[in-house]
């Protein structure tokens, strides 16, 4: 036998082709490797960018002393402008001194319009957002003013602050206690045309209102001069305020030590004794009256300071043991009428000395406190964070002021003053506030809540990620509940039992479902599917129950036919016969929906659900999401699982059949274990798709951030929340960064799921790879 020798030219050609193949292999490996590196790099960059945006939420606070001032006359009240450049200090003799924050240099002063021989005996702040300050005088009168910082710009465009005092209710003192006793304790709430005061008059607790009147000699004959009036011309005299109404409140004869007016002037709080507090309903049906009485501190402890948190919903109570506690009225959730009780919500530790001063922030739910040993602390209520505690003085702290931008704290002690710079952008964020239950103001109990915005300036952001994470898992669970059984069972039949010709038509058709834009599915779900299911709810549930029964009955009837009759349909094409019965079952279920509703649910299944089972019903709910997102997730699960099942080596199935096993036994004992890594990957990919889905859950749910497994209740997911709120979030604000944090949580959740899936898939492959 002769062979054709390879010529030198042919050898060169083969060698050249081999070199080209090697070069191509190396280039392909390089390109594929670089592609993998770029993908990993892109994922890493996304991860680090999210971390970069989230990191400021957990930055350390900067709270340190910046300036100290020489000891001057002790101040009873202090304030400063929002830029931390100019401050005010009130001395006991009624002089307001204006000074520079940077060096304490005196800018000017203003003498308050005090009557001769009268001195200031108390200083009472109004609501922190109003800026009103009431001065109690030794003769039973009071003066109300508000600090003002006029902003101007000089020739070099430098900012210039001009401090001044405004007297919105006139410079003349207002009568508070007609008996002439010193006005030590009172609370005030003002508006443009009236001033309301809770105080003492001749030893009685009173609720008084002061309104405009004309000056003496300016009112016409017969005019009482009381009540509201418009501003007068200079020729008619100045506009004055006087007491126009007063209501006495029955109150035990106890020494009063403090008063606060709550939000909207509905509630008043009167402190007496060592720590006894009376809650006054200022808008009761029969006039102001005591609503509740309780003790704020245990025996042996005294309340030393009482003030209101920003918004005047909560009380801040400082005691003689160095604790500050937050209290607010809680509605009884089980009462049919509005019933409230004042409850202690949380507490903070400043030290072991009596708390001498507490001042809340003007725009946040934080506060600054000082004690008798000169300690200074900054705390935030919602997150229950202690931002910092420092030794500010070696003497008791008497007055505190926080700039409206919360960037500085002015401290006045018995031996001098100091300024502390403060910088913390996100004090309301902590692990507890994002992942634990938080007791928010006006809530009946601690809750997981997401509510980022409100039209009320007293609103505190509720940024718990728990309801969003719960909604994400809930949506994915109901989607997988529908998609996983249908996709896996469909893949099993298609790969093992279906005729090859039919499989070549069915598999591409199902895979084509992946090309459907999810925004279209969400649009159809929200505008067509949700109203249809709401109208035909009994029909939907009868369809879910009856359809499997019809399939079993058709299958049983098919099995009872003779072999000759069954041979009419080619082997593997029998499932086509189910199309008509299933369509007929769907039509009949919808046609019987109204009769079923009238017969069993008194014509209103929603009313029956809410009153008989306690399940609330929203039109766009988890059922809609489960059906729609399940439809979107079926395609990838089916495609990957079917490929894994179909790729099982034929020698394994043929060997099983040859040993006498049925096709079903072969499927369950041989095919499924071998294909289990691929099937598990399909399920995890489908679950990851459901977790990260945005448009369907955005359009097919009510986007309500509630934690309820009720299938008829909506939800809000992490991805949908980012899509909805990112456009309205202020760049760099807490809301903005928490949205990035929710994206990071979603990223990590998906990464963990994929990692677990890969570990399980690898173990399954090792276990069954030797078959």
């Amino acid at each position: 036998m002769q062979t054709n020798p390879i010529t030198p030219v042919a050898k060169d050609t083969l060698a050249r082709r081999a070199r080209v193949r090697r070069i191509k292999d190396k280039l392909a490996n390089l390109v594929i490797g670089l592609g993998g590196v770029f993908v990993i790099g892109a994922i890493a960059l996304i991860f680090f960018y999210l971390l970069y945006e989230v990191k400021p939420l957990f930055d350390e606070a900067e709270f340190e002393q910046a300036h100290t001032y020489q000891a001057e006359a002790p101040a009873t009240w202090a304030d400063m402008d929002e830029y931390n450049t100019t401050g005010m200090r009130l001395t006991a003799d009624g002089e307001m001194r204006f000074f520079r924050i940077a060096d304490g240099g005196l800018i000017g002063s203003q003498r308050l319009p005090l009557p001769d021989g009268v001195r200031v005996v108390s200083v009472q702040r109004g609501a922190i957002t109003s800026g009103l300050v009431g001065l109690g005088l030794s003769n039973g009168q009071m003066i109300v003013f508000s600090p003002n910082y006029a902003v101007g710009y000089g020739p070099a465009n430098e900012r210039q602050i001009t401090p001044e005092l405004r007297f919105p209710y006139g410079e003349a003192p207002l009568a508070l206690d007609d008996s002439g006793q010193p006005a030590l304790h009172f609370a005030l709430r003002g508006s443009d045309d009236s001033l309301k005061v809770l105080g003492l008059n001749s030893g009685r607790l009173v609720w008084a209102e002061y309104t405009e009147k004309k000056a003496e000699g300016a009112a016409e004959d017969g005019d009482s001069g009381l009540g509201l009036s418009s501003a007068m011309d200079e020729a008619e005299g100045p506009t004055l305020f006087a007491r126009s109404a007063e209501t006495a409140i029955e109150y035990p004869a106890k020494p009063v030590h403090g008063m606060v007016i709550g939000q909207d002037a509905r509630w008043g709080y009167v402190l007496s004794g060592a720590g006894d507090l009376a809650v006054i309903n200022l808008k009761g049906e029969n006039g102001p009256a005591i609503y509740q009485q309780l003790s704020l501190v245990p025996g042996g402890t005294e309340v030393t300071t009482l003030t209101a948190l920003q918004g005047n919903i909560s009380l801040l109570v400082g005691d003689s043991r160095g604790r500050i506690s937050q209290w607010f009225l809680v509605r009884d959730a089980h009462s049919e009428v509005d019933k409230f009780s004042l409850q202690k919500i949380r507490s903070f530790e400043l030290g072991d000395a009596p708390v001498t001063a507490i001042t809340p922030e003007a725009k946040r739910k934080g506060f600054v406190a000082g004690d008798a040993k000169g300690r200074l602390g900054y705390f935030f209520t919602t997150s229950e964070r202690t931002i910092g505690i420092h030794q500010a003085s070696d003497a008791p702290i008497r007055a505190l002021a926080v700039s409206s931008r919360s960037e500085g704290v002015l401290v006045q002690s018995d031996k001098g003053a100091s300024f502390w710079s403060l910088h913390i952008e996100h004090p309301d964020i902590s692990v507890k506030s994002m992942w634990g239950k938080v007791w928010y103001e006006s809530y009946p109990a601690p809750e997981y809540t997401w509510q980022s915005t409100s039209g009320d300036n007293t609103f505190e952001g509720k940024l718990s990620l728990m309801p969003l994470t719960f909604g994400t898992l809930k949506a994915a669970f109901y989607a997988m509940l529908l998609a996983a059984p249908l996709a896996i069972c469909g893949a099993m039949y298609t790969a093992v039992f279906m005729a090859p010709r039919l499989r070549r038509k069915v598999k591409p058709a199902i895979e084509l479902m992946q090309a459907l834009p999810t925004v279209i599915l969400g649009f159809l779900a929200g505008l067509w599917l949700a109203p249809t299911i709401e109208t035909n709810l009994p029909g939907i549930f009868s369809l879910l129950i009856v359809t499997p029964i019809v399939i079993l009955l058709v299958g049983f009837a098919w099995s009872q036919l003779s072999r000759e009759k069954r041979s009419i349909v080619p082997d593997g094409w029998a499932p086509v016969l189910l199309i008509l019965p299933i369509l007929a079952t769907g039509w009949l279920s919808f046609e019987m929906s109204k009769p079923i509703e009238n017969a069993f649910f008194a014509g209103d299944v929603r009313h029956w659900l809410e009153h008989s089972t306690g399940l609330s019903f929203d039109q766009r709910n988890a059922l809609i999401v489960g059906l729609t997102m399940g439809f979107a997730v079926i395609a990838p699960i089916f495609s990957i699982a079917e490929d894994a099942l179909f790729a099982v080596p034929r020698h394994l199935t043929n060997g099983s059949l040859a040993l006498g096993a049925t096709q079903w036994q072969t499927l369950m004992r041989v095919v499924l274990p071998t294909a289990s890594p691929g099937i598990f990957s399909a399920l995890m990919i489908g679950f990851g798709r459901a977790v990260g889905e945005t448009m369907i859950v955005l359009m097919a749910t009510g986007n309500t951030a509630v934690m309820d497994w009720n299938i008829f209740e909506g939800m809000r997911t992490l991805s949908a929340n980012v899509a909805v709120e990112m456009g309205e979030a202020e760049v760099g604000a807490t809301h903005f960064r928490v949205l990035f944090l929710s994206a990071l949580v979603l990223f990590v959740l998906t990464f963990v799921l994929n990692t677990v899936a890969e570990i399980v898939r690898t173990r399954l492959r090792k276990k069954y790879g030797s078959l």
Side-chain angles (χ1 to χ4, degrees), residues 269-566:
Y269 307 93
V270 180
L271 176 68
S272 60
D276 297 329
L277 187 77
V279 181
I280 311 294
N281 185 356
L282 298 175
K283 295 183 178 180
E285 295 181 359
N286 300 319
I290 294 179
Y291 185 83
Q292 181 187 0
Q293 290 182 293
L294 71 161
S295 179
L296 298 177
V297 291
T301 306
E302 296 182 4
V303 173
T304 56
T305 308
L306 179 70
T307 190
L309 191 63
Q310 186 256 9
N312 284 57
I313 298 175
S314 296
L315 295 178
L316 297 175
V317 179
D319 63 32
S320 58
R321 296 187 178 181
R323 288 189 297 265
I324 303 106
S325 54
Q326 179 187 5
W327 298 68
F328 57 72
L329 288 168
V330 177
R331 185 192 303 269
D332 186 356
H334 303 290
S335 177
E336 296 181 358
V337 297
D338 285 345
K339 186 177 180 181
F340 300 88
S341 62
L342 190 68
Q343 296 186 26
K344 180 179 178 180
I345 307 304
R346 54 182 67 93
S347 61
F348 304 88
E349 295 284 343
L350 176 59
D352 56 0
V355 178
T356 55
I358 300 177
T359 298
E361 292 183 276
K363 298 179 180 180
R364 302 191 300 203
K365 296 294 182 178
F367 65 92
V368 178
D371 67 8
K373 290 185 177 180
R375 276 188 291 261
L376 172 70
Y378 174 54
F379 310 89
F380 204 89
T381 57
T382 306
S383 59
E384 300 187 28
R385 290 181 62 184
T386 298
I387 307 301
I389 298 177
H390 302 281
Q391 190 70 38
S393 174
D394 57 357
I397 294 175
R398 298 302 179 188
L400 295 168
V402 183
S403 63
S404 60
R405 295 191 178 189
S406 298
E407 294 179 347
V409 179
L410 189 61
V411 181
Q412 177 68 53
S413 71
D414 287 345
K415 292 185 178 180
S418 60
F419 172 78
W420 291 68
S421 63
L422 173 65
H423 180 74
I424 178 168
E425 296 183 1
H426 315 287
D428 50 340
I429 296 300
S430 65
V431 174
K432 178 177 176 58
S433 66
M434 289 188 296
W435 298 105
K437 287 186 176 182
V438 178
W439 203 335
Y440 298 103
E441 289 181 335
S442 302
Y443 276 50
E447 293 184 9
Y448 300 110
T449 305
W450 175 274
Q451 187 183 358
S452 57
T453 56
S454 172
D456 188 356
N457 61 357
T458 64
F459 171 79
E460 56 177 329
K462 303 168 181 63
L463 303 176
S464 174
L465 295 182
M466 279 297 293
L468 305 181
T469 306
F470 177 87
T472 301
L473 297 177
K474 177 182 177 181
F477 170 77
Y478 282 115
M480 294 297 291
L481 192 64
L482 171 72
L486 291 179
I488 298 301
C489 292
M492 289 164 55
Y493 188 88
T494 304
V496 178
F497 300 103
M498 186 173 286
R501 185 180 174 187
L502 182 59
R503 177 181 177 273
R504 287 194 294 270
K505 294 179 174 61
V506 171
K507 190 172 187 294
I510 296 178
E511 290 176 341
L512 191 63
M513 292 166 52
Q514 299 184 66
L516 288 174
T518 56
V519 66
I520 301 299
L521 294 177
F523 177 79
L524 292 175
L527 297 184
W528 171 75
L529 183 61
T532 301
I533 288 182
E534 182 184 24
T535 306
N536 302 278
L537 196 58
I540 291 295
F541 280 96
S542 60
L543 178 65
L544 296 176
I545 296 172
V546 174
T547 300
I549 297 175
V550 170
I551 293 175
L552 291 175
L553 291 176
V554 172
F556 177 76
W558 175 258
S559 67
Q560 299 303 307
L561 294 177
S562 62
R563 186 179 298 274
E564 290 78 10
K565 294 180 179 180
R566 293 203 303 269

Side-chain angles (χ1 to χ4, degrees), residues 698-722:
L698 183 62
M699 303 175 73
T701 71
N703 279 315
T704 51
V706 296
M707 297 183 64
D708 192 343
W709 281 109
N710 179 10
I711 196 172
F712 303 115
E713 190 75 67
M715 82 287 288
R716 176 176 285 199
T717 65
L718 289 165
S719 57
N721 187 67
V722 173

